[in-house]
Amino acid sequence: MKRIILLALTNFAVVAVLFITWNIISAVFGIRVQGGFGGIAVMAVIFGFAGSLISLLMSKWMAKRSMGVEIIEHPRTSQERWLVETVRRQADKVGIGMPEVGIFHSPDPNAFATGANRNNALVAVSTGLLEHMNADEVEAVLGHEIGHVANGDMVTQALLQGVVNTFVIFFARVIGMVVDGLFRGNNDNSGPGFGYYIGSIVAEILLGFLATMIVMWFSRYREFKADIAGADLAGRQKMIAALRRLQRVHEPKDLPGELAAFGISGGGGLGRLFMTHPPLEERIAALQGMQ
């Protein structure tokens, strides 16, 4: 629940900062958006995609900083050499550029992939994953993450977030105009009033939660595809074994923020509608049903 609220508030904060910045620039330079609903739509597209695209471009840098990822530039142990070579072999098999490979310190078994370009991505695994899983299971997890990269999931996620942000911003502003009109009545004073700002903010928060449901649904759908990729690259039984290993680990913690969408395991949050990952038993059943 806390993670979902944090995601919604972060998304709202990015849009709010852009909105305030635009208002300051408009006031200083006398810029006015004309065209009624058309003008609102243009601004909604700009604000809606700006935050998601900026996050996408900064995703690798943010992941390294927030998770403390140590990039394996020169392997020092046999395990690090095996990790790099396994990722290299899988990347060559799916036809993408060699991702950066890293390790982050966490007792929980997890991994994630991120990056704005499928040929310049990052794949990182936790120390807990290396401790809890054997080589076959780690290979399957790496295949799952390479599947995210090869499928372009990071870019698709950013574009989807941009689209839903656009709709949220547009309809929130329209609702704000309606609320403002109700407060003003027959008063034709120029410029938005207090009701517009209050109505827009409240509508944006509520619509933002609905938009999050859409993004989370796509995240769950994408996990099945990444599991199939892991099965293709490492073997179906290895992928099933890796997921079963996650089941046996006592309540593994989810990754923070948007990295949760590209991890190997995920939490429940506020019911199924806000889950980043399908239940592990459903993912295992889907792999078992593969022809």
Side-chain angles (χ1 to χ4, degrees):
M1 176 64 177
K2 291 181 179 179
R3 180 175 55 80
I4 298 301
I5 293 176
L6 181 60
L7 282 172
L9 291 179
T10 300
N11 186 57
F12 170 75
V14 170
V15 175
V17 169
L18 292 173
F19 183 70
I20 293 172
T21 302
W22 171 256
N23 283 340
I24 294 174
I25 294 175
S26 300
V28 172
F29 296 97
I31 301 174
R32 293 290 183 272
V33 177
Q34 304 295 333
F37 290 119
I40 295 176
V42 170
M43 297 309 302
V45 171
I46 294 174
F47 292 152
F49 279 91
S52 60
L53 294 180
I54 290 173
S55 297
L56 176 65
L57 294 174
M58 297 179 63
S59 59
K60 279 179 62 176
W61 178 83
M62 292 173 63
K64 292 176 183 178
R65 294 292 298 271
S66 64
M67 299 300 297
V69 177
E70 299 176 3
I71 302 299
I72 304 175
E73 297 180 354
H74 303 288
R76 296 167 296 180
T77 66
S78 59
Q79 185 180 61
E80 290 184 354
R81 284 192 294 272
W82 179 84
L83 281 173
V84 173
E85 290 306 315
T86 301
V87 171
R88 188 187 308 278
R89 183 177 69 253
Q90 293 178 344
D92 289 342
K93 188 173 181 179
V94 298
I96 63 173
M98 175 63 185
E100 290 185 278
V101 182
I103 299 174
F104 60 97
H105 293 277
S106 172
D108 302 295
N110 220 323
F112 68 86
T114 191
N117 190 320
R118 67 199 300 266
N119 293 316
N120 185 25
L122 166 67
V123 174
V125 298
S126 69
T127 53
L129 183 136
L130 298 175
E131 292 171 359
H132 285 88
M133 292 189 174
N134 60 38
D136 287 346
E137 293 162 351
V138 175
E139 181 185 0
V141 171
L142 293 174
H144 175 100
E145 301 306 333
I146 289 294
H148 276 309
V149 178
N151 294 335
D153 288 337
M154 283 71 73
V155 175
T156 307
Q157 175 91 356
L159 293 177
L160 177 61
Q161 187 68 64
V163 170
V164 297
N165 281 350
T166 298
F167 279 99
V168 167
I169 295 169
F170 177 80
F171 286 110
R173 299 300 175 271
V174 172
I175 292 173
M177 292 171 62
V178 172
V179 172
D180 196 40
L182 294 176
F183 274 105
R184 290 183 179 221
N186 296 324
N187 191 339
D188 293 329
N189 290 336
S190 61
F194 182 75
Y196 169 80
Y197 293 105
I198 295 299
S200 296
I201 291 173
V202 173
E204 192 165 303
I205 293 174
L206 296 177
L207 293 174
F209 275 96
L210 295 177
T212 300
M213 293 182 188
I214 298 174
V215 176
M216 293 301 100
W217 168 83
F218 180 74
S219 176
R220 295 191 298 272
Y221 167 78
R222 187 184 53 236
E223 284 306 304
F224 288 113
K225 298 297 183 182
D227 285 343
I228 293 174
D232 290 340
L233 289 170
R236 182 173 61 168
Q237 293 307 316
K238 292 181 182 180
M239 191 70 244
I240 292 174
L243 296 177
R244 282 178 172 163
R245 179 74 67 178
L246 290 175
Q247 279 187 315
R248 291 193 292 270
V249 175
H250 180 63
E251 296 183 354
K253 295 180 181 179
D254 206 352
L255 293 164
E258 64 183 16
L259 293 179
F262 305 108
I264 184 65
S265 66
L270 184 61
R272 185 181 178 89
L273 291 177
F274 289 99
M275 290 173 63
T276 58
H277 292 58
L280 287 168
E281 56 269 21
E282 291 187 14
R283 295 167 64 183
I284 293 172
L287 289 172
Q288 290 174 331
M290 285 176 56
Q291 299 298 323

